[in-house]
């Protein structure tokens, strides 16, 4: 039989490689921006049309390229950044694989103009689908000007997979922010469809964070700074009371490169333990400096996940440093740092056994104790009760008792439960008694034994079906807010809201104004009750972004599930008999009473024989 193996033509090989490097317009932004920074630019202008689908242009004032290099740059594995394999362990540049430009030019039309400072004229190179269309001298500014047009024009299957402009632009903003945060010394402008979206001037890291995330950052950040023999960490962490229901302000950088690191993330979350309301995320912007030979940036094609030599030690360093930064700011009067002296940051060499630093914390301390009550009108998103449940006998148990009593009164008045209603419940007792356990479970008698219902999950199921039903029947669930509520969002969340707005309005939200990352809410779905609107919206967005919510086949389903989870009764919410009855009744009239929309069990019936068995000798 004849030989059948052939080498792929470069253009095909590049297209395949491009699949890994260039997923969407945002990937082009990332690669071009990083190249500009590697080229020493201190001013970069980015021009985008149609969320990058039509045009991504990056103009820098870096070192430019010679005529030959301009052509070479588009070859696969062509790089000026490393020469030998040893260099791989000393990488200080963003790029080094020499893949980006070859990938980009295999799936788009590229127009490059570049000039080196010492040259009088520059070079213009036009290419498309890995083919050179023309190369000629041109008069242009010093630096490099890349215009990438019509991404995936020759791979329609991939073009089809691009998401809406709002989503693609959101990805662009994310990439832009990551580079911008790592390089506050570089001026950066971003134009989208002729609008100036960001105009970042030179400054320090804090100034850059404020330019990107808003003025409120100023009061909400604590400085962090630690140097050890294996790594140095600097940057800022958000104060606990600033923690948000959505992610989007958590960033790690290693040697000025953005990285993801779930394990180090846990070190931070652990440091905040006991200081945050449930399901909220502290902001952090941590910059690590480490010897490039102690890290491996090679493990992921888009290079956001990075492996360190001594991750356990670094975990401890981060944990201790964050703890210290929280304590320093005197957030917790009960975090007794004074008597402890300075937190001991371990200085470790490889292989040293690491012990968890011990910092005594009052487990009952909760910075939200007072703030929350006014905010949510007494019923409370309830971190109060919930938190305290964890420790067996809180030192301030008398206060808690008082709080519980006033909460009782609150429900009493809310439900208008006068003496007669109480009586009715009494007389009905025997079949319809309800009992709440630990602010989490509802227990009642059923024919076959005892029914245990998880109150939050049950409510999630009920709301989910309610939202879907009202969507179908075009019912209006909306209820005007007392006063318009202004909510400030991150750019990414803002874009997401804009995308979901129509469906959110169907679910009962009313928005009156959307500008500059701020939304004004005029109406909310009635089922939101007395929960703080900001919290519901932030949790909803967070849910919507999470993967476990992504396996809903329709947008409406995913919306409904995310919304239901965001507005379901919190644990710790004390329920009156009437409310418990209502939940149980409604749950059993659902189509799928047994599970939440995300497949978690809502209820369990313990049959008489099971109960008997439990207590058998
Ligand atoms: P890498 O960045 O991994 O080296 P790229 O494909 O991104 O690979 O770029 C190839 C080469 O082109 C770079 O090594 C650099 O020499 C040159 N280059 C790319 N962009 C620029 C730029 N904006 N200014 C100057 N040189 C550039
Ligand atoms: Mg590069």
């Amino acid at each position: 039989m004849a030989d059948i193996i052939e080498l792929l033509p470069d253009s095909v090989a590049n297209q395949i490689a491009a699949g890994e490097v260039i997923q969407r317009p945002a990937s082009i932004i990332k690669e071009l921006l990083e190249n500009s920074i590697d080229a020493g630019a201190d001013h970069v202008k980015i021009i985008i049309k149609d969320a990058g689908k039509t045009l991504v242009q990056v103009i820098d004032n870096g070192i430019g390229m010679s005529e030959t290099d301009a052509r070479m740059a588009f070859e696969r594995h062509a790089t000026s950044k490393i020469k030998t394999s040893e260099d791989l362990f000393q990488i200080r540049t963003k790029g080094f694989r020499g893949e980006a430009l070859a990938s980009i030019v295999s799936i788009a039309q590229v127009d490059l103009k570049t000039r080196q400072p010492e040259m009088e004229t520059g070079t213009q190179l036009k290419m498309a689908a890995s083919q050179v269309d023309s190369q000629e001298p041109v008069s242009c500014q010093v630096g490099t000007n890349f215009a990438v047009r019509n991404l995936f024009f020759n791979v329609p299957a991939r073009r089809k997979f691009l998401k809406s402009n709002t989503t693609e632009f959101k990805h662009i903003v994310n990439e832009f922010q990551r580079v911008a945060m790592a390089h506050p010394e570089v001026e950066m402008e971003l134009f989208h469809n002729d609008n100036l979206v960001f105009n970042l001037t030179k400054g320090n890291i804090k100034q850059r964070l404020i330019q990107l995330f808003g003025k409120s950052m100023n009061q909400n950040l604590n400085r962090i700074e630690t140097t050890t023999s294996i790594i140095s960490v600097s940057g800022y962490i958000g104060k606990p009371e600033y923690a948000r229901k959505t992610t989007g302000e958590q960033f790690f950088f290693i040697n000025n490169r953005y990285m993801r690191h779930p394990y180090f993330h846990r070190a931070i979350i652990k440091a905040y333990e006991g200081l945050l309301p449930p399901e909220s995320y502290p902001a952090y912007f941590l910059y690590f400096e480490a010897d490039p030979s102690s890290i491996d940036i090679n493990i992921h094609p888009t290079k956001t996940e990075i492996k360190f030599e001594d991750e356990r030690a670094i975990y401890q360093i981060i944990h201790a440093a964050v703890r210290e930064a929280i304590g320093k700011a005197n957030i917790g009067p009960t975090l007794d740092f004074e008597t402890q002296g300075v937190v001991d940051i371990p200085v470790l060499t490889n292989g040293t056994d690491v012990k968890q630093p011990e910092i005594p914390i009052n487990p009952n301390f909760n910075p939200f104790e007072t703030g929350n009550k006014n905010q949510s009108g007494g019923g409370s998103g309830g971190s109060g009760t919930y938190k305290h449940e964890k420790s067996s006998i809180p030192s301030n148990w008398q206060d808690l008792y008082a709080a519980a009593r006033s909460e009782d009164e609150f429900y009493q008045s809310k439900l208008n439960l006068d003496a007669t209603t109480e009586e009715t419940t009494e007389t009905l007792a025997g079949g319809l008694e309800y009992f709440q356990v630990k602010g989490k479970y509802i227990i009642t008698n059923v024919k076959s034994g005892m029914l245990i219902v998880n109150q939050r999950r049950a409510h999630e199921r009920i709301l989910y079906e309610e939202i879907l039903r009202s969507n179908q029947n075009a019912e209006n669930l909306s209820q005007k807010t007392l006063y318009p509520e202004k909510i400030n969002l991150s750019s990414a969340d803002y874009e997401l809201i804009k995308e979901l707005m129509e469906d959110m309005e169907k679910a009962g939200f009313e928005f009156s104004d959307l500008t500059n990352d701020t939304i004004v809410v005029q109406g909310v779905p009635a089922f939101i009750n007395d929960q703080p609107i900001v919290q519901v919206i932030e949790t909803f967005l967070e849910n919507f972004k999470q993967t476990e919510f992504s396996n809903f086949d329709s947008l409406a389903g995913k919306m409904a599930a995310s919304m239901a989870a965001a507005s379901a009764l919190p644990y710790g919410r004390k329920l009156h008999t009437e409310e418990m009855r209502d939940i149980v009744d409604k749950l059993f009239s659902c189509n799928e009473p047994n599970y939440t929309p995300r497949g978690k069990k809502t209820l369990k019936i313990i049959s008489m024989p099971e109960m008997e068995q439990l207590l058998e000798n």
Side-chain angles (χ1 to χ4, degrees), residues 35-36 39 60 64-65 73 78-81 95-101 144 146:
N35 281 346
S36 295
D60 70 45
M65 283 179 266
T79 179
S80 55
K81 299 168 194 175
F96 62 88
R97 293 163 175 258
E99 262 177 353
L101 294 184
T144 300
F146 264 105

Side-chain angles (χ1 to χ4, degrees), residues 302-345:
T302 49
K303 294 170 286 178
T304 53
E305 255 153 58
I306 289 180
K307 191 110 199 63
F308 288 74
E309 232 168 58
D310 206 341
E311 305 207 321
R312 281 187 43 216
I314 298 174
Y315 179 103
Q316 301 300 347
I317 294 166
I318 298 170
H319 180 273
V322 172
R323 260 295 176 205
E324 189 193 17
I326 300 172
K328 251 190 196 153
N330 266 335
I331 301 164
T334 46
L335 282 175
D336 206 342
F337 281 95
E338 262 75 56
T339 55
Q340 266 334 90
V342 182
V343 179
D344 200 14
I345 306 250

Side-chain angles (χ1 to χ4, degrees), residues 390-410:
K390 284 189 182 160
S391 57
S392 50
I393 307 179
S395 53
N396 55 343
W397 64 271
Q398 280 145 319
D399 299 349
L400 288 183
Y401 181 62
R405 252 203 344 235
S406 65
E407 220 175 311
D408 251 357
E409 280 154 22
F410 170 79

Side-chain angles (χ1 to χ4, degrees), residues 20-276:
E20 274 188 75
V21 186
I22 308 296
Q23 280 107 22
R24 48 174 22 121
S27 326
I28 299 184
I29 296 279
K30 170 177 188 281
E31 295 298 338
L32 295 184
L33 270 180
E34 291 190 344
N35 281 346
S36 295
I37 303 233
D38 283 345
D42 68 355
H43 183 105
V44 186
K45 178 173 174 178
I46 301 153
I47 300 168
I48 286 162
K49 294 257 150 70
D50 305 323
K53 293 173 186 170
T54 319
L55 173 73
V56 171
Q57 186 169 18
V58 173
I59 305 163
D60 70 45
N61 64 352
I63 56 170
M65 283 179 266
S66 72
E67 200 185 323
T68 322
D69 282 354
R71 177 65 198 84
M72 264 299 276
F74 292 95
E75 292 295 330
R76 192 127 163 255
H77 307 308
T79 179
S80 55
K81 299 168 194 175
I82 55 172
K83 293 200 158 48
T84 66
S85 66
E86 281 84 69
D87 293 346
L88 270 175
F89 302 100
Q90 286 308 324
I91 286 166
R92 287 267 170 204
T93 51
K94 313 265 160 210
F96 62 88
R97 293 163 175 258
E99 262 177 353
L101 294 184
S103 297
I104 292 171
V105 80
S106 73
I107 43 153
Q109 298 156 348
V110 173
D111 184 348
L112 162 69
K113 287 185 208 142
T114 184
R115 176 156 81 91
Q116 296 177 303
E118 64 276 16
M119 302 296 284
E120 264 176 23
T121 50
T123 303
Q124 177 166 31
L125 183 67
K126 291 188 177 172
M127 296 181 73
S130 301
Q131 302 297 313
V132 180
D133 291 337
S134 68
Q135 176 160 11
E136 51 202 27
V138 71
S139 81
C140 62
Q141 290 184 341
V142 169
T144 300
N145 178 337
F146 264 105
V148 179
R149 293 197 171 81
N150 303 323
L151 175 62
F152 298 135
F153 80 100
N154 55 340
V155 212
R158 298 202 58 200
R159 194 166 170 93
K160 241 183 15 217
F161 277 103
L162 291 177
K163 298 277 184 321
S164 68
N165 281 4
T166 329
T167 304
E168 293 301 342
F169 186 64
K170 195 175 70 196
H171 286 288
I172 288 176
V173 170
N174 284 344
E175 293 294 354
F176 174 86
Q177 285 180 335
R178 290 169 184 176
V179 178
M181 269 182 268
H183 292 281
E185 76 286 0
V186 179
E187 272 170 4
M188 294 172 66
E189 292 169 280
L190 172 67
F191 290 85
H192 186 209
N193 294 335
D194 299 326
N195 296 319
L196 180 57
V197 183
F198 286 103
N199 182 9
L200 308 177
T201 52
K202 275 183 212 199
N204 58 30
I205 285 173
K206 190 163 189 184
Q207 287 160 338
R208 175 103 343 155
L209 294 178
I210 290 168
Q211 287 183 335
L212 286 170
F213 296 103
K215 284 213 183 64
S216 61
M217 279 281 162
N218 203 11
Q219 308 84 268
N220 287 316
L221 294 180
N222 288 338
R223 174 112 187 112
I224 200 168
E225 182 126 45
T226 282
T227 307
T228 70
S229 51
I230 52 175
I231 200 157
S232 60
V233 185
S234 64
Y236 295 90
I237 56 162
K239 295 180 179 169
E241 61 270 36
Y242 177 69
R244 290 177 182 251
K245 290 279 165 194
T246 62
T247 50
E249 293 178 354
Q250 290 73 32
F251 294 90
F252 286 126
F253 300 90
I254 171 70
N255 299 344
N256 296 328
R257 171 202 299 275
Y258 169 79
M259 70 163 179
R260 276 176 26 82
H261 210 295
Y263 179 61
F264 294 166
H265 171 79
R266 289 214 300 276
I268 295 183
I269 298 302
K270 184 123 183 56
Y272 278 88
E273 204 168 69
L275 295 173
L276 298 177

